[in-house]
Amino acid sequence: MLEILQPSFDKYQFDAIKGRSTAHALISLLHEWMETLDAGGSVRTMFVDFRKAFDHVDHNLLISKLLSYDIPHCIIRWVYSYLSHRRQRVCVNGELSAWTRLIGGMPQGLWLGQLTFLFLINDLIIECRVHKFIDDTTLTETLLSRPHTCI
């Protein structure tokens, strides 16, 4: 699945993709920032961490986005099967709750969870540079100084 999708991922998407590690993300960010500062400009940055990102994955939105790529339908059906009919319960002081059916969310700690989150944020594009590292996003606006002129 990754081989099919990797060419369509934003080039500023890091992690969960071969050859795009934490180090690559940091080098890309620092290079852009230092280049701007060396040219006399300034940098504005905002760091965003999507809170409980994997817990809020909307299955219908995910399947819809997967359908928009050229992914074989057998893989989409497999992902749907993996996500549907999931249940959970909790244990507190030795007492188990009743099972509840999940209508969203993605199991954490799995590579498939990271990959599906990439689909959800791949089209996150705004007017400034966006570096994405799974559920952490860095927005950067670079401003180049203009020389002051006197009239």
Side-chain angles (χ1 to χ4, degrees), residues 25-101:
L26 292 172
I27 290 168
S28 179
L29 282 165
L30 289 173
H31 175 73
E32 183 174 339
W33 297 345
M34 298 310 276
E35 193 173 64
T36 300
L37 294 173
D38 288 345
S42 60
V43 176
R44 290 188 246 193
T45 302
M46 182 169 71
F47 300 96
V48 178
D49 181 10
F50 294 105
R51 188 175 62 109
K52 296 195 170 270
F54 294 97
D55 293 338
H56 293 108
V57 171
D58 181 314
H59 295 170
N60 292 326
L61 178 61
L62 174 61
I63 297 299
S64 174
K65 286 195 175 195
L66 288 174
L67 287 168
S68 71
Y69 290 91
D70 191 22
I71 300 173
H73 285 269
C74 62
I75 294 176
I76 295 173
R77 286 192 302 272
W78 177 78
V79 171
Y80 175 76
S81 173
Y82 176 74
L83 293 175
S84 61
H85 308 296
R86 297 188 76 84
R87 300 181 319 154
Q88 76 177 21
R89 65 181 178 174
V90 296
C91 180
V92 178
N93 296 327
E95 295 290 323
L96 286 172
S97 69
W99 286 99
T100 187
R101 192 168 178 187

Side-chain angles (χ1 to χ4, degrees), residues 2-13:
L2 184 57
E3 289 175 13
I4 295 168
L5 300 169
Q6 188 162 347
S8 62
F9 281 130
D10 180 359
K11 72 178 187 174
Y12 294 103
Q13 172 63 61

